[in-house]
Amino acid sequence: MDQNCDADKIILRQPDDWHVHFRDGAVLRAVVKNTASIFNRAIVMPNLQPPITSVEAAFSYRRRIMEAIPDGVIFTPLMTVYLTDDLPIDVIERGFQAGLFTAAKLYPANSTTNSSEGVSDLKEIDSILETMQKIGLPLLVHGEVVDQEVDIFDREAVFIERHLIHLLERYPALRVVMEHITTEQAVQFVEANSSRLAATITPHHLHINRNAMFAGGLRSDYFCLPVVKREHHRRALRKAATSGNSCFFLGTDSAPHLRSFKESSCGCAGIFNAPNALESYAQVFEEEGKLHKLQGFASEFGPAFYGLPLNTGSVTLVRREQVIPEFFEVNNGLGSKEKIVPFHAGETLNWSVLGLKEALE
Ligand code: DOR
Ligand code: ZN
């Protein structure tokens, strides 16, 4: 299927989201529809509290996600397992054999939201990585060092130097995704190792640089991890995403947090972009004069990396301005409602996704 693209309408092969956070409970029930109504599949992150570290927990989480999908919507959550220092190898093997795990996620311990049970030292998971390499289960990496001596804006680049280079050398057949890359160094490193290393790129890292976090005051809505970087890094990411190079593909890292957790003296990292992620990417591709490269990034390079079939359906984007809501309301589980602020809140985006009915008219 070729992308069908004119000045006012884009028909794309249906995309997938290769990195998303759904959470659990009331938030899960509120946010799944945003992803499920646009994307056919999504790689679901396992950093719940407690994290997904067993086959049973992953099956049960998948069931809760399925229950939250609106009637009539077809959507497949692709599950991941959360690596810990002492995760039994048979969890990896059984989850893989059951067709449940699409990948395993490496969070360096204390690198980001709900990562305290993550991996303290790569040596601890040597036999897990050997097994993953053998069975062909991809490793998804949160690529930041946790060393407090390293400046927070350098933690991704230092992770590549200190860990990723060695990891690729030690496990030459392991397939790896560097998730949500944020730097020029990551772009170059992924390009140089693209035979078995890929990267997801989020909408927010394509739209904002670190100034956004401090524009007129401290703006927690723009705080995510890895933290947004300098402008030249954003430019490198835009070039990579729109390049048509298949080692870069769509992963929103949509990460909803209730307003009260974002706006606190120790606010959570994460940007909720699921309601308008595809339009947000389309805007970037248009600004770069690369709309014709959107389908590869959004719908083709991810399945190719994971060895999964291409989607056969399509989505239609039309040039129609939409103002993004200031907030969404969700039940906080305590009997009252709380806000979640989406990315682009109050801004106008140029493209809109047509509902299925409208698309057929
Ligand atoms: O900004 C982020 N939010 N980065 C992550 O790595 C985790 C995520 C979350 O779970 O909120
Ligand atoms: Zn994430």
Side-chain angles (χ1 to χ4, degrees), residues 23-171:
R23 314 301 187 206
D24 215 338
V27 174
L28 166 75
R29 288 192 290 277
V31 303
V32 164
K33 62 175 179 298
N34 296 297
T35 299
S37 57
I38 303 291
F39 298 99
N40 186 43
R41 298 166 289 201
I43 292 255
V44 182
M45 288 298 130
N47 61 334
L48 303 185
Q49 273 176 317
I52 302 292
T53 53
S54 73
V55 174
E56 295 69 29
F59 267 125
S60 148
Y61 185 35
R62 185 169 71 175
R63 196 171 335 106
R64 297 196 295 283
I65 296 169
M66 298 300 283
E67 284 164 7
I69 300 169
D71 289 345
V73 172
I74 297 169
F75 173 71
T76 305
L78 302 173
M79 308 311 288
T80 57
V81 57
Y82 181 111
L83 298 180
T84 65
D85 286 353
D86 49 15
L87 187 79
I89 290 180
D90 87 292
V91 172
I92 299 278
E93 287 167 337
R94 283 192 299 122
F96 179 73
Q97 274 148 18
L100 177 65
F101 295 149
T102 300
K105 180 71 189 271
L106 166 64
Y107 289 104
N110 303 315
S111 56
T112 185
T113 310
N114 298 345
S115 62
S116 58
E117 292 173 59
V119 174
S120 66
D121 188 332
L122 281 173
K123 287 194 206 84
E124 301 286 338
I125 57 165
D126 184 47
S127 41
I128 291 183
L129 296 174
E130 291 278 2
T131 302
M132 290 173 57
Q133 169 171 257
K134 191 170 85 211
I135 64 182
L137 187 71
L139 176 73
L140 313 184
V141 179
H142 182 105
E144 287 191 287
V145 292
V146 292
D147 184 345
Q148 296 301 309
E149 306 272 292
V150 177
D151 189 281
I152 191 163
F153 292 97
D154 297 332
R155 287 183 191 172
E156 182 175 279
V158 172
F159 183 88
I160 295 171
E161 295 298 324
R162 284 194 196 166
H163 302 295
L164 202 50
I165 292 175
H166 307 291
L167 185 130
L168 294 185
E169 276 168 14
R170 186 163 172 82
Y171 312 97

Side-chain angles (χ1 to χ4, degrees), residues 19 21 45 180 253:
H19 184 131
H21 299 264
M45 288 298 130
H180 41 54
D253 197 19

Side-chain angles (χ1 to χ4, degrees), residues 177-204:
V177 182
M178 213 183 157
E179 298 292 336
H180 41 54
I181 57 168
T182 62
T183 56
E184 196 170 64
Q185 289 92 327
V187 166
Q188 286 165 6
F189 188 71
V190 172
E191 279 169 350
N193 293 276
S194 60
S195 58
R196 44 72 171 249
L197 175 66
T200 51
I201 305 182
T202 76
H204 39 281

